Amino acid sequence: MQSDETDHFRLSGDIALVTGASRGIGQAIAFALAKAGAHVVLNARDPGQLEASRSELAAQGLSVSAIAFDVTDPSAVAAAVAEIVERHGGLDIAVGNAGQSLRKPVGQFDRAEISRLMDVNLGAALVLAQAVAPVMEARGGGRILLTGSMLGQIARPNNALYSATKAGLAGLARALAVDLGPRGIRCNVVAPGAVRTAMTETAALDPAVDAFVKQRTPLGRWATPQDVAAAALFLVSPASAFVTGQVLFVDGGMSAQA
C-alpha cells in the first residue's frame, strides 16, 4: 500500500536545530518542524527570550528543548552540536536562521560593521555546516537549510551589505550541495520577501511602506512567518528528497517583476 502523500512532510523521529528561534521566522520554522513530528532544539543568544519561546511551544504539546550559544563562535557551535548528539542521539536537520540587518548608505559602513554582518549572516552558516556535516553523515545523511532573503536577488537602497551576505548564502548553499551531496546531505535556502513580524511591525504600520509593499508584491500582501515556515518544512522534509542547492523565494512574486 502506498503511503499517504502527507507522510512526505512528516519528520517523525528527526532531531532538528533551529538557530535564531526565539521569535519571528525562526520561531515559526521551529513550530512547523515540531508540528511535523521532529524534536526541535531552539537556539538564540538571549537565554531569557529563548526560554520564553521554548515554553510557548512546549505549552502547545510540541517536543522542544533549548540551547543558547553564539552562532559566530565556532567552538560554541561545535560544543552545542556535541551536546545535542549526546542528549538526543544525533542531528538530522540544521536550520541556520540567525541573522542581522544594517541599513545605511553604502559609503557609511565601517570595517567593523562589515566584518560583523558578514560573520553573522554568512560566516555563521558555514560554521554551522562544518559542525553538523560529520554528525549527519554518521546518521546516513541530513538536511541543512539557510534563511536567505529576496534581497539576495534584488536590491533596495541602503541595503548593500545585507544584500551581499544574503546573495552569499545562495552561493554557499550551492557549494555545500555539491560538497556534501555525496555524503547524503542536502542544502537549500528559503528566501523570504517582506515578512510582517514584531521587528517589521513599525514599518508595516507606516501607510507609505505598507502601500509600497502591497503594490510591489503581485500577491498584494505581506508574508507571514508561517508562509516562510511552510516552505522551510518542504525543504527539510522527504517531499524535497531530490532538491538541493536551490533557493526558494517566498516573496509573493516581488522578485519576479522588474
Side-chain angles (χ1 to χ4, degrees):
M1 179 183 294
Q2 288 187 325
S3 62
D4 190 295
E5 289 185 1
T6 58
D7 290 345
H8 297 314
F9 292 90
R10 295 299 299 167
L11 303 176
S12 301
D14 283 346
I15 307 300
L17 167 65
V18 180
T19 69
S22 62
R23 58 186 176 178
I25 291 171
Q27 186 184 54
I29 291 175
F31 176 89
L33 270 54
K35 193 75 173 177
H39 175 83
V40 180
V41 181
L42 312 177
N43 156 262
R45 287 185 302 168
D46 186 319
Q49 287 186 345
L50 186 60
E51 176 54 28
S53 181
R54 187 206 65 78
S55 296
E56 182 179 342
L57 297 185
Q60 300 179 61
L62 301 176
S63 179
V64 293
S65 56
I67 183 168
F69 62 88
D70 184 342
V71 296
T72 67
D73 182 344
S75 61
V77 175
V81 171
E83 182 176 336
I84 291 169
V85 172
E86 182 178 355
R87 288 186 178 182
H88 304 288
L91 183 63
D92 306 286
I93 299 167
V95 180
N97 173 74
Q100 295 179 357
S101 179
L102 181 61
R103 291 175 55 85
K104 59 170 60 179
V106 66
Q108 294 184 14
F109 293 107
D110 63 38
R111 191 69 187 89
E113 290 170 336
I114 294 171
S115 295
R116 176 60 183 170
L117 211 67
M118 292 291 285
D119 202 18
V120 172
N121 289 3
L122 183 55
L126 178 54
V127 167
L128 180 65
Q130 289 174 321
V132 303
V135 174
M136 290 180 174
E137 184 177 13
R139 297 268 278 188
R143 289 134 282 165
I144 298 170
L145 178 65
L146 307 175
T147 300
S149 171
M150 170 190 69
L151 293 178
Q153 173 78 10
I154 65 174
R156 295 295 305 156
N158 300 323
N159 251 330
L161 183 53
Y162 181 80
S163 290
T165 62
K166 294 301 184 177
L169 284 178
L172 176 61
R174 289 191 291 271
L176 292 174
V178 171
D179 284 354
L180 302 180
R183 296 157 69 178
I185 301 169
R186 299 191 289 112
C187 183
N188 292 291
V189 175
V190 62
V195 184
R196 190 159 183 170
T197 66
M199 291 183 66
T200 62
E201 187 67 11
T202 299
L205 291 175
D206 183 322
V209 175
D210 184 54
F212 171 81
V213 168
K214 291 175 179 176
Q215 182 179 34
R216 188 73 175 78
T217 304
L219 291 185
R221 67 173 177 86
W222 293 70
T224 67
Q226 291 71 33
D227 290 324
V228 182
L233 174 59
F234 164 71
L235 289 172
V236 301
S237 73
S240 63
F242 206 58
V243 178
T244 192
Q246 304 303 307
V247 179
L248 177 56
F249 290 96
V250 186
D251 64 0
M254 186 183 284
S255 63
Q257 66 177 343

